[in-house]
Amino acid sequence: MRLKLTLVAAAAATLLPWAASAAVSADEAKALGTTLTAIGADKAASKDGQIPAYTGGLTQAPAGYKAGDGIRPNPFAGEKPTLVIDAKNMGQYGDKLTEGAKALLKAYPTFRMDVYPTHRTVAFPKFVTDNTVKNATKTRTLNGGVSIEGAHAGFPFPIPKTGYEAMWNHLVRFNGVAYESKYRNITVDASGRPTLAVEGQSVQEFPFWDVTKPEAETYWRMKLMYTGPARRNGEGLLLVDPLDIGSKERRAWTYLPGQRRVKVAPDLAHDTPNPGTAGSTTFDDTFIFNGAMDRFDFKLVGKKEMYVPYNDYQAVYQAKQDDLFKPNHLNPDMVRWELHRVWVVEATLKADKRHVYSKRTFFLDEDSWAALASDGYDQRGQLYRAGFAYMAPSYDVPAPYTDMFGHYDLVSRIYSVTGYIAETGGLKQTKPLSDREWTPDSLAGAGIR
């Protein structure tokens, strides 16, 4: 009888897309901390040893780092590439390259990938790993996968069964509880000219990870105050995403100094062109993927070894703007690539939904759950945009950090990078703001008139 009921329940879950998805069993969860790390990565090295075994990550700052400083020295500054992939030899490594990387190698003779030794540097505070193990057996998705419940202060699905679960791990990824940065978004047009899309102050918080509270309804909120270019000076943006985003949706507001008023902005989501990148990406391209998953079917393909940006301290924290942003692509001398195991998730546009992308492929780092790359396809099924996030873990927290990311538009031949902080003071961990400072009224008060 029990087997019969299980089969009936499984069939119902298949037929009813809004049905809840259950957590893993206690027996399955025993792998966490044994064969798997506490957050679900394979502990063991790869068969050929190129990807080493996980030993706890990088938790000690290198010499030269000052506690509390927003700029983090490169722990691997003395290393040399062990492999250079270019258009001539890319065929030998095709199974470990994203389609976007292949397209860039073919399109631009100056583009290359300098591959360095793999270091599994991602580490987490103990409360993150402890709570992840607890979440594994009690977290579930709702509303067809786009909402979750039962998780707090730990990754919700360390052993994912669906693409939605894997993407939730990315959405709530741990970067600390709160941090701020001054940043620039740079767009480089087809002629090779870099342009400042926006410059501003970013404050981000993750109430989901606040262990001083028993639970949280919100997993992420961000406040941006723009200081440049001059035409955008004084504008503000406030975004709040709930865990139950399938029912409650994103809340968004903008402040325009010319009008001196805060406006509700429900359209700042999905494929609305992002003015922060001069319209060259969508709002849900932010952090490679951001926001609600309601327009796509997310399929978990599996795990594979790929060359992805990793331990990119030079590009994130040391590179001068004029040295990094070159025509057609970032300066290859300043981008570090490593071989890592990633989860592959395919997102296919639902028949009754619209979006500029018909299909997207995401590559999620097994050690952090952060999306490190994406391939976006247009309505003709042709590769449209290639996204990359530049991982540089904050060894002082410890926490991964991938807030510098960018997209190459393979049609218009422009590219944009969000979150450049090397010349603006870097990123600093902070204490959470009061809830009052996350209201629309606070956005108006922070505006520069």
Side-chain angles (χ1 to χ4, degrees):
M1 178 61 74
R2 177 174 296 178
L3 175 60
K4 183 177 181 180
L5 291 174
T6 301
L7 292 174
V8 170
T14 302
L15 294 172
L16 303 176
W18 58 86
S21 173
V24 300
S25 69
D27 281 344
E28 289 178 288
K30 290 179 181 176
L32 300 173
T34 54
T35 58
L36 303 177
T37 69
I39 72 153
D42 286 319
K43 268 190 173 180
S46 60
K47 290 182 179 178
D48 61 7
Q50 291 191 62
I51 300 173
Y54 185 77
T55 58
L58 179 63
T59 57
Q60 297 295 319
Y65 176 68
K66 299 177 181 177
D69 196 343
I71 298 296
R72 291 164 177 79
N74 181 1
F76 311 110
E79 291 188 345
K80 303 294 182 184
T82 57
L83 170 67
V84 176
I85 302 175
D86 57 21
K88 295 178 182 177
N89 65 359
M90 60 180 284
Q92 301 177 43
Y93 310 101
D95 62 333
K96 294 181 173 61
L97 299 173
T98 68
E99 292 304 312
K102 293 178 187 176
L104 292 170
L105 287 165
K106 292 176 182 177
Y108 306 121
T110 52
F111 183 81
R112 70 174 197 277
M113 301 165 66
D114 290 351
V115 180
Y116 289 77
T118 297
H119 296 286
R120 299 180 70 176
T121 46
V122 171
F124 298 99
K126 189 173 185 300
F127 81 87
V128 172
T129 54
D130 288 349
N131 288 334
T132 297
V133 174
K134 295 176 183 175
N135 288 342
T137 54
K138 65 179 185 180
T139 308
R140 64 174 186 163
T141 60
L142 302 170
N143 298 319
V146 302
S147 303
I148 63 171
E149 69 173 15
H152 183 52
F155 286 93
F157 302 106
I159 306 176
K161 303 293 187 182
T162 71
Y164 293 96
E165 294 180 354
M167 294 305 291
W168 266 112
N169 290 335
H170 160 70
L171 288 172
V172 304
R173 68 198 177 280
F174 181 74
N175 276 325
V177 177
Y179 56 93
E180 64 181 27
S181 64
K182 292 181 180 179
Y183 72 100
R184 295 173 188 159
N185 294 355
I186 307 295
T187 299
V188 181
D189 65 20
S191 70
R193 184 185 62 176
T195 302
L196 177 67
V198 293
E199 182 176 46
Q201 181 83 25
S202 167
V203 179
Q204 294 187 62
E205 289 187 10
F206 299 83
F208 175 81
W209 293 100
D210 189 345
V211 293
T212 66
K213 300 177 180 177
E215 59 182 2
E217 294 184 354
T218 299
Y219 74 86
W220 174 71
R221 53 193 181 187
M222 179 174 71
K223 183 188 290 185
L224 303 178
M225 298 308 304
Y226 300 122
T227 57
R231 59 184 165 76
R232 302 205 61 184
N233 187 23
E235 291 184 22
L237 174 65
L238 178 62
L239 299 176
V240 180
D241 279 353
L243 289 165
D244 187 9
I245 199 169
S247 302
K248 299 179 179 178
E249 298 185 337
R250 161 174 288 179
R251 288 173 289 162
W253 298 268
T254 60
Y255 174 74
L256 302 175
Q259 301 178 7
R260 297 196 174 190
R261 59 183 294 191
V262 175
K263 299 175 65 175
V264 177
D267 293 336
L268 302 186
H270 299 110
D271 61 348
T272 299
N274 187 346
T277 61
S280 63
T281 65
T282 64
F283 263 92
D284 63 9
D285 276 332
T286 304
F287 307 125
I288 303 301
F289 183 78
N290 175 257
M293 292 185 276
D294 55 334
R295 295 195 180 182
F296 292 84
D297 291 317
F298 288 82
K299 175 186 175 183
L300 186 63
V301 177
K303 193 184 285 188
K304 64 180 300 188
E305 297 176 8
M306 301 286 286
Y307 292 110
V308 287
Y310 220 98
N311 293 313
D312 269 291
Y313 293 92
Q314 184 178 16
V316 174
Y317 288 113
Q318 274 80 51
K320 300 295 184 184
Q321 183 174 315
D322 290 344
D323 294 333
L324 182 61
F325 295 92
K326 296 299 183 183
N328 299 322
H329 52 76
L330 292 179
N331 186 345
D333 292 340
M334 297 184 170
V335 179
R336 178 182 177 116
W337 300 80
E338 294 184 4
L339 185 66
H340 282 263
R341 284 184 291 245
V342 298
W343 287 97
V344 181
V345 177
E346 286 185 356
T348 304
L349 184 63
K350 294 180 177 179
D352 60 342
K353 301 291 185 181
R354 62 160 300 278
H355 199 285
V356 296
Y357 300 126
S358 63
K359 177 184 173 184
R360 307 161 91 171
T361 307
F362 298 102
F363 303 89
L364 315 182
D365 173 34
E366 70 164 343
D367 285 332
S368 68
W369 289 107
L372 297 180
S374 67
D375 295 325
Y377 297 83
D378 63 17
Q379 294 302 320
R380 301 169 297 176
Q382 296 182 1
L383 188 60
Y384 180 13
R385 288 176 180 147
F388 299 100
Y390 302 90
M391 167 75 79
S394 302
Y395 34 71
D396 47 309
V397 180
Y401 176 68
T402 54
D403 277 18
M404 181 175 135
F405 59 90
H407 287 79
Y408 292 92
D409 189 316
L410 300 164
V411 176
S412 64
R413 297 173 75 89
I414 66 175
Y415 74 96
S416 67
V417 169
T418 294
Y420 171 75
I421 57 175
E423 289 187 340
T424 57
L427 168 134
K428 295 182 179 180
Q429 296 288 325
T430 60
K431 293 182 178 179
L433 302 176
S434 67
D435 287 341
R436 186 177 60 184
E437 293 176 274
W438 288 102
T439 63
D441 287 343
S442 74
L443 188 65
I448 302 171
R449 296 178 172 89

